[in-house]
Amino acid sequence: MNKESSPIPGRPGTSGSGRPALPAPPAGDITRPAVPVGLVVAICLVAANLRTGLTGVGTLLPAIEHGSGLTSSWGGLLSTLPLLTFAATSPLVARASHRFGTARLLVAALGALAAGTAIRSVPSVICLFTGTVILSAAIAFGNVLLPALIRRSVPAHRIQGISALYVTVMGVTAAVSSGISAPLSHTLPGSWHTALGWGIAFTVAAFLAWLPRTRGDRPLASTGVTRSQVPWRSRIAWQVSVFMGLQSLAFYTAVAWLPSILIHRGTTSTAAGWMLFFYQLIALAASSLLPLLTRGRRDQRWTAAGASVLVAAGFAVLVSVPALSFLACALLGLGGGVCLVLALTFQSERAGSSGEAAALAGMAQSIGYLVAAAGPLLLGVLHDTMNSWTFPLVALVVLSVAMAGAGYGAGRDRQVGRSAR
């Protein structure tokens, strides 16, 4: 029985033999297809690699600067380099995926990630920066390919749930990496060099999980299918991209400057560190619960706008009532966790095919990470210029309100190829 003659579940038609198909069962009796457990595990293993190699650098940075002789400026560049690499690399992924195949390209990216991680751990400043660029480019490929693979392999009604799951895995492994990198540098031979490479275990596991899935992964170029172009002229694609950029800016700015802001307002450094942990914990909880609260809803306009308003409210509380920093972090975590899941979900749901998803994700993540890289730097410049955190925080409130507008547009139940241009 070929695909064209197969009856579609839930729709009347003809059977493969030409006889009339049985009437469609009532809507309530339709069994929605489940996602294979092996695929879910494989997706989660990729997600475990998308932040692990990056978040541990912050806690190791003082030791890296001391051990390699880097100045603070070079240390800052080392921290910003991954975001700049994401922005430069993301637009290239859709073209490569069309030519080589999505699963094959993902396996190649995982191999490059392992190589970059190993090179970065070599005791050499040149290897430190070269390995960082290689692993960051590999992560950028994973960031773009995963929404495309989800769009191709996961039923539409389960896309948000799978996206939330991989965001949760990504957040948990990122937090674990932040917590254990410094202790590992004190216990493992090789000090911080070895600690930088511990996440390669996740990379090898993901590589082995995806390698069998490359069989039968035919590149679309070999089938004569036209490559999906980056949707620069699509209004909803720009709304998805701006939403991705502004939520990334809010997250990376909070991670970079929240402890400094709290300390400036009278909080101890220890308490400020725990507040940052609390913020990320709430964000993880929000991202995990979102699919349960919005199950079956394809229109996410008010969810995206409301979550953005929560982020704006969190920054506003930091400006106006510094004593309520606990409330501010809770609001930032709730809104930020929801916005991250939606930003990644939109890259799958707003595309009509896996090729369109790769093109849209490349556009959204290129713009998003470029904005995210500029955010912490500009906030620091504003603080140094004004000698106060008030104006930078007010700017974040305004940008979060703008994010609500972009999220409202991106949350419409439309696809890039069918939206008004």
Side-chain angles (χ1 to χ4, degrees):
M1 184 184 294
N2 56 41
K3 282 187 175 181
E4 287 74 21
S5 63
S6 302
I8 302 174
R11 296 183 187 176
T14 59
S15 66
S17 62
R19 296 189 300 270
L22 294 175
D29 295 335
I30 296 176
T31 301
R32 290 183 167 184
V35 184
V37 174
L39 176 62
V40 174
V41 172
I43 288 172
C44 289
L45 285 172
V46 174
N49 285 278
L50 298 183
R51 294 294 180 272
T52 302
L54 304 176
T55 55
V57 175
T59 57
L60 294 173
L61 195 55
I64 293 173
E65 292 176 352
H66 180 268
S68 59
L70 293 178
T71 64
S72 297
S73 298
W74 282 100
L77 176 62
L78 185 65
S79 300
T80 308
L81 196 56
L83 296 177
L84 297 176
T85 306
F86 290 170
T89 308
S90 297
L92 309 176
V93 182
R95 181 188 296 271
S97 174
H98 181 80
R99 182 175 180 180
F100 299 107
T102 308
R104 292 178 182 179
L105 190 60
L106 179 62
V107 168
L110 290 168
L113 177 57
T117 303
I119 292 171
R120 187 179 63 168
S121 300
V122 174
S124 162
V125 172
I126 294 176
C127 289
L128 175 65
F129 281 89
T130 302
T132 297
V133 171
I134 294 173
L135 72 88
S136 299
I139 290 173
F141 271 75
N143 282 334
V144 175
L145 291 173
L146 206 50
L149 285 165
I150 290 174
R151 179 64 182 83
R152 184 181 75 177
S153 309
V154 175
H157 66 281
R158 297 195 183 274
I159 286 177
Q160 188 179 90
I162 297 298
S163 297
L165 177 61
Y166 95 71
V167 167
T168 301
V169 171
M170 195 166 61
V172 169
T173 53
V176 169
S177 179
S178 298
I180 71 171
S181 292
L184 286 177
S185 70
H186 298 304
T187 57
L188 294 176
S191 183
W192 58 266
H193 297 285
T194 309
L196 282 174
W198 77 271
I200 200 170
F202 287 132
T203 311
V204 172
F207 182 89
L208 295 176
W210 280 97
L211 190 59
R213 297 178 181 274
T214 59
R215 292 196 295 266
D217 181 40
R218 296 182 62 193
L220 291 178
S222 67
T223 64
V225 177
T226 304
R227 178 174 62 89
S228 298
Q229 298 295 320
V230 178
W232 295 113
R233 296 184 180 181
S234 168
R235 180 184 303 172
I236 196 167
W238 274 102
Q239 289 166 333
V240 170
S241 300
V242 171
F243 184 68
M244 174 69 185
L246 291 177
Q247 72 83 24
S248 297
L249 182 146
F251 171 76
Y252 284 104
T253 299
V255 169
W257 291 113
L258 184 59
S260 299
I261 294 170
L262 295 176
I263 291 170
H264 181 78
R265 299 295 172 90
T267 305
T268 66
S269 58
T270 300
W274 280 112
M275 291 303 293
L276 182 61
F277 173 80
F278 172 70
Y279 156 70
Q280 295 184 78
L281 186 66
I282 294 295
L284 279 174
S287 63
S288 301
L289 293 175
L290 178 64
L292 300 178
L293 301 176
T294 60
R295 181 177 296 172
R297 288 171 52 190
R298 298 273 297 173
D299 191 315
Q300 303 286 356
R301 288 176 295 176
W302 291 109
T303 306
S308 303
V309 169
L310 287 179
V311 175
F315 287 126
V317 170
L318 283 178
V319 174
S320 56
V321 195
L324 297 180
S325 57
F326 186 84
L327 173 62
C329 290
L331 292 171
L332 290 171
L334 284 171
V338 170
C339 285
L340 175 58
V341 173
L342 291 178
L344 296 174
T345 300
F346 292 159
Q347 294 169 34
S348 297
E349 287 187 339
R350 300 299 171 255
S353 66
S354 61
E356 285 186 2
L360 176 58
M363 174 181 172
Q365 295 191 31
S366 176
I367 293 171
Y369 287 118
L370 188 61
V371 172
L377 175 62
L378 292 178
L379 205 74
V381 170
L382 287 174
H383 173 257
D384 291 341
T385 303
M386 303 291 179
N387 198 28
S388 169
W389 284 111
T390 300
F391 184 77
L393 287 171
V394 170
L396 287 174
V397 172
V398 173
L399 290 173
S400 299
V401 172
M403 179 168 65
Y408 184 87
R412 291 174 297 163
D413 185 14
R414 296 186 184 180
Q415 293 181 339
V416 168
R418 302 173 188 173
S419 61
R421 297 192 175 196

